[in-house]
DNA sequence: CACGAAGTTGAGGATAGCCTCAGGTTCTCT
DNA sequence: AGAGAACCTGAGGCTATCCTCAACTTCGTG
């Protein structure tokens, strides 16, 4: 059981981390987070030990909520192909709207286990939706969706949100069954 | 006119820069380049003044040669669509084969003027080849090709050369006229 | 060959983040 | 209230890279 003040600091740290990560991405200086939480860096390290742990503490929920929302929206469509489109576009817009999520997706291979888990689930759902439509050749796999998210992340980071939208649109056009 | 020893050092610096950039990308420590040239950092700064200038001194030729080779190969095809395919795939393989080029492409918006010029020429040629085929909707623009190169660069940097190949393949499939 | 111009050197100041730990503070329980 | 466990602090050591500049070396010419 945490002491009352410690619990309060921990909550503040999480809140600050979420704020800062969403503003400047997952690479933000941890000192900035500590500062915004009104706490010293030492405390941050006492509580979390590493940036990864801090990310794991605040990002998975954020991502899971987003992914779930997108999943529901996509599945609300009756046409299987429209589901795919909505899902892909939804993920893209999620990345554009939130640098923290975009970063998390792009680095899912390393790092925080919980973040990786949410990513994996998101890819699984994408694969499931794709399975429901007859895709052309070359067929698009689960891993390809992962690659697409990484690519989007890079484009968004360099200010190319629109470029990412175009790429996804063309890609979807290519995947669309005849 | 440069003094003989100065000229020699300059040549060595260029050679070393090319080596190091191709091995580790355009962000490599300049100290490493100086060291490999058998010269002090001070000399590097005396000669080039900045990383950008050094890049401009060695990368444009490298890129231009590559792009020209790809352009020729693409135009050797008789079918207009095959030209597009060869050009896109050629650029991609160039990026995969050379981190320095990949970096240069990804950062063409800022930085070195000569590098930007070569990039612009490469995009122009892509647009020209695309114009020759009836592309579907959404039509792929010059800027979209730029975005694709940036995306590829990111994928390659995270070890996803194959992922980039897949993305390009699906994208080409989507662009292919009926 | 000697002298001035041209060129080189590399230690070190500056920046930016990471992470630690000895010492001080605050909570909580009795 | 007193004691001690729990917690917090933040200066400072560490890494990595950039860039500078006063002192030194070398070249090339008269």
């Amino acid at each position: 059981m945490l002491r009352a003040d410690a619990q309060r600091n921990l909550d503040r740290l999480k809140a600050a981390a979420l704020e800062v990560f969403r503003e400047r991405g997952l690479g933000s200086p941890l000192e900035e987070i500590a500062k915004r939480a009104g706490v010293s860096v030492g405390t941050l390290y006492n509580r979390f030990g590493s940036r990864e742990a801090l990310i794991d503490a605040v990002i998975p929920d954020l991502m899971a909520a987003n992914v779930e929302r997108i999943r529901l929206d996509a599945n609300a469509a009756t046409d299987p192909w429209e589901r795919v489109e909505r899902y892909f576009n939804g993920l893209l817009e999620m990345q554009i709207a939130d640098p923290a999520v975009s970063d998390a997706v792009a680095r899912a291979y390393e790092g925080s286990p919980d973040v990786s888990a949410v990513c994996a689930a998101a890819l699984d759902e994408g694969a499931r939706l794709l399975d429901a439509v007859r895709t052309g050749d070359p067929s698009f796999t689960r891993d390809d969706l992962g690659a697409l998210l990484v690519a989007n992340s890079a484009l968004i980071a360099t200010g190319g949100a629109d470029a990412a939208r175009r790429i996804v649109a063309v890609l979807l056009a290519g995947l669309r069954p005849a």
Side-chain angles (χ1 to χ4, degrees), chain A residues 1 16 26 37 58 83 87 96 119 133:
Chain A
M1 185 54 184
L26 299 185
V58 301
R83 286 189 196 137
Y87 193 68
I96 291 172
C119 285
V133 297

Side-chain angles (χ1 to χ4, degrees), chain A residues 3-178:
Chain A
R3 231 168 66 176
D5 57 337
Q7 181 65 52
R8 202 185 47 235
N9 284 339
L10 190 147
D11 292 342
R12 283 185 186 168
L13 274 170
K14 281 195 197 168
L18 201 49
E19 258 186 43
V20 174
F21 283 153
R22 295 188 77 177
E23 282 170 22
R24 325 227 278 232
L26 299 185
S28 319
L30 298 186
E31 323 253 356
E32 166 71 21
I33 292 174
K35 192 168 154 198
R36 203 173 297 194
V39 134
S40 91
V41 234
T43 297
L44 191 156
Y45 279 99
N46 284 344
R47 288 289 150 245
F48 296 97
S50 72
R51 155 177 260 114
E52 300 288 309
L54 182 53
I55 291 174
D56 241 25
V58 301
I59 299 299
D61 281 354
L62 173 66
M63 279 185 68
N66 272 306
V67 171
E68 180 60 7
R69 181 177 46 70
I70 293 161
R71 194 184 70 79
L72 289 178
D73 177 69
N75 281 286
T78 46
D79 178 53
W81 174 251
E82 199 188 333
R83 286 189 196 137
V84 169
E85 280 188 329
R86 283 204 197 175
Y87 193 68
F88 276 45
N89 286 322
L91 290 178
L92 171 61
E93 293 304 327
M94 169 183 80
Q95 289 185 271
I96 291 172
D98 200 325
V101 172
S102 196
D103 278 6
V105 156
R107 298 174 197 176
Y109 301 99
E110 331 141 28
S112 313
D114 287 359
V115 171
S116 298
V118 177
C119 285
L123 296 189
D124 286 342
E125 174 68 7
R128 197 183 69 77
L129 292 176
L130 277 168
D131 271 353
V133 297
R134 176 91 65 250
T135 56
D137 192 9
S139 72
F140 201 75
T141 68
R142 204 193 89 115
D143 286 347
D144 292 337
L145 175 54
L148 178 61
L149 297 183
V150 173
N152 285 340
S153 181
L155 285 172
I156 294 163
T158 59
D162 280 338
R165 290 195 182 96
R166 298 299 301 276
I167 298 266
V168 169
V170 177
L171 222 143
L172 280 172
L175 291 175
R176 173 173 233 148

